[in-house]
Amino acid sequence: MKTRDRILQVSLLLFNEEGEAPQTAVDISNALDISPGNLYYHFKGKDAIIRALFGAFEDEMRVILRGSKGGVNSIEDNWVYLYIILEEIYDFRFFYRDLGVLLERYPDLAVRFRALVSEKRQTITRVLEDLTESDVLRLDPRLKTALTDQIMMTVTFWLANDSIGTTHHDGPALIHKTVFQVMCLIVPYMGEAGFGALTHMIEHYEAVMD
C-alpha cells in the first residue's frame, strides 16, 4: 500500500476509534511508524488529512445515493439500501459523532456536507415516491415532507444518540437497530400489509441482534 493511502487508512482508524480532536499529526505518524516529515510530505498537517477523508466519503456516498434510482421497489430492497447507506456512514463515523464541532472548524466542508445532506434528502424522497408508486406504501402527499424529516433525523444523528446512551452497540448491531427504527417509521403507511411486514421485520431484527 502506498504511504499516502496508509496515512489515510490509519488516520481514519484513529479518528473513528479514539476521536478526531485528540489526535495530532505526530500521533498519526507514530501510529504509522514514520517520521512527521514523511507524513508532511504527503499531507500538510491533520487538516489536509481530514479534508482528504471527507472527499473519499463524499465520493462514495454520492455513488450510493445515485444508485437508488429505480432500484428500491420493495420493503426488502429498502431494508438493504438503508443498511448500505448506514454502513458507509459508519465507516467514516467520526464526522457524525462531532458533527457540529467539525463543521464549525471547517466551513468549506460544512458547505459540502450540507450539499450531501440535500442529496440524501432527495434520495429518501425519491425512494418514498418509488415505494408509493409500487403500491408498497400508501403515503398521503401532505405527509411526505414530515416523514422525510423523521428519516433524515434518524440517519443523521443515530451515532450521536448511541454515544450518549447507557448501552453502546458494535457496528453491525447499531446499523441493524437504526435500519429497524427507520423501517418502523414507514410501517403505518403500508396499509393492510403493514402488520405482516412489521412482524417479519421484528423477527429479522431479533434474529440478527440475538
Side-chain angles (χ1 to χ4, degrees):
M1 185 182 293
K2 295 180 180 178
T3 301
R4 184 183 189 279
D5 294 333
R6 287 182 58 226
I7 291 171
L8 291 176
Q9 183 184 62
V10 171
S11 297
L12 181 60
L13 179 64
L14 286 173
F15 295 165
N16 281 340
E17 298 301 323
E18 301 179 16
E20 171 273 329
Q23 308 302 324
T24 66
V26 173
D27 293 326
I28 296 169
S29 61
N30 287 340
L32 285 156
D33 197 23
I34 63 175
S35 68
N38 193 356
L39 185 145
Y40 192 79
Y41 173 79
H42 296 279
F43 294 99
K44 305 303 188 253
K46 189 176 80 168
D47 289 353
I49 294 173
I50 289 173
R51 288 187 168 90
L53 288 173
F54 184 83
F57 169 67
E58 184 179 41
D59 291 343
E60 292 172 17
M61 183 57 76
R62 289 194 189 282
V63 170
I64 293 170
L65 294 176
R66 294 170 185 178
S68 70
K69 295 180 179 178
V72 182
N73 298 303
S74 69
I75 293 302
E76 292 76 13
D77 290 342
N78 196 42
W79 184 291
V80 172
Y81 186 61
L82 282 169
Y83 193 97
I84 292 171
I85 290 176
L86 296 177
E87 193 173 43
E88 179 65 23
I89 292 173
Y90 190 81
D91 286 344
F92 293 85
R93 56 193 175 276
F94 80 93
F95 283 120
Y96 282 76
R97 282 182 172 154
D98 299 306
L99 188 56
V101 174
L102 276 171
L103 296 187
E104 185 175 352
R105 278 171 44 205
Y106 300 98
D108 57 319
L109 295 188
V111 173
R112 292 162 61 185
F113 186 83
R114 291 188 182 100
L116 198 60
V117 168
S118 177
E119 186 162 350
K120 190 188 302 180
R121 173 180 288 277
Q122 292 171 11
T123 297
I124 291 171
T125 300
R126 183 174 63 247
V127 168
L128 292 176
E129 291 172 348
D130 289 345
L131 291 173
T132 301
E133 290 177 7
S134 300
D135 293 327
V136 175
L137 298 183
R138 298 176 182 177
L139 180 60
D140 188 319
R142 295 171 296 180
L143 299 176
K144 183 169 63 178
T145 298
L147 180 57
T148 301
D149 287 343
Q150 289 179 311
I151 295 173
M152 281 294 298
M153 284 189 286
T154 303
V155 301
T156 301
F157 298 108
W158 58 294
L159 290 164
N161 182 65
D162 185 70
S163 68
I164 63 176
T166 56
T167 302
H168 301 296
H169 303 80
D170 63 17
L174 181 57
I175 293 171
H176 276 294
K177 177 185 176 184
T178 307
V179 170
F180 180 68
Q181 290 171 337
V182 173
M183 297 301 290
C184 286
L185 292 173
I186 69 173
V187 165
Y189 306 100
M190 292 183 191
E192 296 178 359
F195 180 78
L198 178 60
T199 301
H200 178 70
M201 284 190 291
I202 291 173
E203 290 173 350
H204 178 73
Y205 176 68
E206 291 177 342
V208 298
M209 295 294 284
D210 189 5

